[in-house]
Amino acid sequence: QFWTGACPKEALKIEHKLLTEFGGLDKDEYEIFDINVSEAKDDYVHTISLGQKNSDVMLLVPGYGASACIFYRILKALAEKFRVYALDLRGMGLSGRPKYTPKSREETEQWFIEGINIWRQKMGITEKFILVGHSIGGYLSTCYSLQYPEQICNLILLSPAGYLPRPPDKDIKVFIKRQSWGKRCLFKWALGYWAEGKSPLSILRGFGRLSKHTFLKKYINNMYDLPPKEKAAYKAYLGQILLLPPSGEKCLAYILEPGAFAVSPLIHRIPLHSLQMPVTFAYGSHDWMESTAGEMLKNERSDMRVEVFVVAHAGHHLYCDNPLQMSNIILERAKVRQKIVFLQEFASFQ
């Protein structure tokens, strides 16, 4: 990794710094470890574990290219009430980077779903758990809940991707036709690049170390409102994990079209009475993700228990922009699970 300067050991050091210095955790309050999910040595899932061991389990799943550590600002609050596990998706973050070539949407979804399920089995989690997913992590968490509904007691989706189709007024071909000749060429190249299954992270790797001081710097300055020292640590962390060798990130073109619209919209794929657990949608007040899916399900699906929240002063990364309100929403919605269990136990006792 000479060209990119990406080093897993260095990323792990910064991860500890984010969790302790900026996440408020003592080093003895959490554990970091890897769990193999296949026979391949480089196919393991990076995991952060914290909270009371006898409490209900909550699993946090990050978005595209991200890692468990992105939740560092809300982990401490969640761990006061739950046994919290946050994992890096297979082939992303500090998880292993196995050779992975997706061939279809179905195969891609299954690769991630089974990675999570094997991780669950190896962790010995047999009880129902609360599943929290952000962005593509929200998409995959929904897919997981559809395949294993008996495992999930509460599904909480933070600005989830992949729920809605591309609206007619945002047709990509029409958009390109309206551009200047130079921009048309650029957009057509980008579409071809996307169609080949190559991700935006490949461009970052192409620029190597320079990307940390150009593209990444601009992205973090635009997307995150953090104090200078914290922002510097977060930039250094992303500069490590995003430039590691490609693997799970190749999923992108099979799940989303350019513009983050779904290849196969989840809103059309949820069968009647399939998600009996409470489902929560949360979006930032100035979120770029299309936020109407939650309201549509709430208004149109009487068979589902859906709630929708808007997090004030937050964009797509709402757990980072407004950690207090975000953690309060998760904790409040997670209580629904505890109330249901209490009522079920009370009914059986009667």
Side-chain angles (χ1 to χ4, degrees):
Q1 298 298 311
F2 173 78
W3 176 250
T4 62
C7 173
K9 290 183 179 179
E10 182 61 27
L12 187 59
K13 289 180 183 178
I14 305 171
E15 186 165 276
H16 282 291
K17 181 176 182 177
L18 287 169
L19 292 170
T20 55
E21 188 172 336
F22 304 111
L25 291 166
D26 292 329
K27 285 190 175 181
D28 60 357
E29 289 185 289
Y30 66 90
E31 295 178 272
I32 295 178
F33 50 85
D34 300 325
I35 298 291
N36 274 86
V37 292
S38 76
E39 294 181 358
K41 292 182 180 179
D42 57 354
D43 193 7
Y44 54 84
V45 170
H46 188 69
T47 309
I48 299 173
S49 168
L50 65 163
Q52 299 299 318
K53 293 187 177 181
N54 295 326
S55 300
D56 289 341
V57 171
M58 178 180 289
L59 175 60
L60 306 180
V61 181
Y64 178 76
S67 72
C69 191
I70 64 166
F71 298 111
Y72 70 94
R73 282 188 147 203
I74 63 172
L75 287 176
K76 188 176 181 69
L78 300 181
E80 290 177 358
K81 300 292 183 181
F82 295 95
R83 179 61 176 173
V84 177
Y85 297 101
L87 56 80
D88 294 8
L89 283 168
R90 202 173 182 183
M92 298 189 203
L94 284 175
S95 286
R97 300 293 175 124
K99 291 183 179 180
Y100 172 61
T101 304
K103 298 178 181 178
S104 67
R105 173 189 60 79
E106 294 83 358
E107 181 189 88
T108 298
E109 291 175 0
Q110 199 61 28
W111 192 72
F112 286 106
I113 290 169
E114 283 310 300
I116 295 173
N117 193 41
I118 293 169
W119 173 90
R120 178 195 63 84
Q121 292 171 346
K122 290 200 171 185
M123 289 297 296
I125 299 172
T126 56
E127 70 274 23
K128 287 189 174 185
F129 59 92
I130 300 158
L131 185 56
V132 182
H134 172 250
S135 198
I136 279 185
Y139 175 94
L140 293 171
S141 294
T142 304
C143 294
Y144 190 95
S145 300
L146 288 170
Q147 184 162 329
Y148 297 111
E150 72 283 356
Q151 295 180 15
I152 311 302
C153 62
N154 204 315
L155 179 61
I156 301 176
L157 306 170
L158 315 182
S159 191
Y163 260 81
L164 296 176
R166 181 185 298 278
D169 63 341
K170 293 186 179 180
D171 185 279
I172 191 70
K173 292 181 180 178
V174 174
F175 171 78
I176 291 175
K177 285 182 180 180
R178 293 172 180 169
Q179 307 304 310
S180 64
W181 179 84
K183 286 186 177 180
R184 285 201 303 271
C185 292
L186 180 62
F187 281 121
K188 286 180 180 179
W189 171 82
L191 286 177
Y193 199 75
W194 189 290
E196 291 175 5
K198 296 178 181 177
S199 81
L201 301 184
S202 300
I203 299 174
L204 292 183
R205 292 189 192 94
F207 281 87
R209 298 168 191 257
L210 180 63
S211 64
K212 300 178 184 181
H213 308 291
T214 52
F215 304 111
L216 267 179
K217 182 179 180 180
K218 185 175 181 180
Y219 170 77
I220 291 172
N221 286 339
N222 289 340
M223 297 294 290
Y224 297 92
D225 184 18
L226 299 171
K229 287 185 178 180
E230 186 175 352
K231 183 178 286 188
Y234 199 70
K235 172 180 167 290
Y237 183 68
L238 291 184
Q240 294 293 333
I241 64 170
L242 294 181
L243 299 181
L244 288 170
S247 178
E249 72 187 58
K250 296 177 183 178
C251 73
L252 192 62
Y254 292 90
I255 293 176
L256 298 179
E257 297 177 355
F261 295 103
V263 169
S264 179
L266 285 172
I267 201 163
H268 299 152
R269 292 169 52 193
I270 301 176
L272 284 172
H273 308 294
S274 58
L275 295 180
Q276 291 300 296
M277 74 288 292
V279 181
T280 301
F281 289 81
Y283 299 95
S285 57
H286 51 274
D287 203 324
W288 61 264
M289 186 66 72
E290 180 59 57
S291 60
T292 56
E295 290 293 346
M296 289 173 65
L297 285 173
K298 183 177 181 179
N299 295 331
E300 299 174 9
R301 294 290 296 271
S302 59
D303 62 306
M304 293 176 62
R305 290 172 288 173
V306 179
E307 292 293 338
V308 182
F309 295 87
V310 175
V311 178
H313 312 297
H316 185 55
H317 301 281
L318 49 179
Y319 47 81
C320 190
D321 295 333
N322 192 340
L324 179 60
Q325 187 181 359
M326 187 69 264
S327 57
N328 284 340
I329 288 172
I330 294 174
L331 290 171
E332 186 62 33
R333 294 304 297 158
K335 286 181 182 178
V336 175
R337 141 73 173 164
Q338 296 171 323
K339 290 177 182 177
I340 291 172
V341 170
F342 173 77
L343 291 173
Q344 289 174 340
E345 291 177 348
F346 182 76
S348 63
F349 176 75
Q350 291 292 94

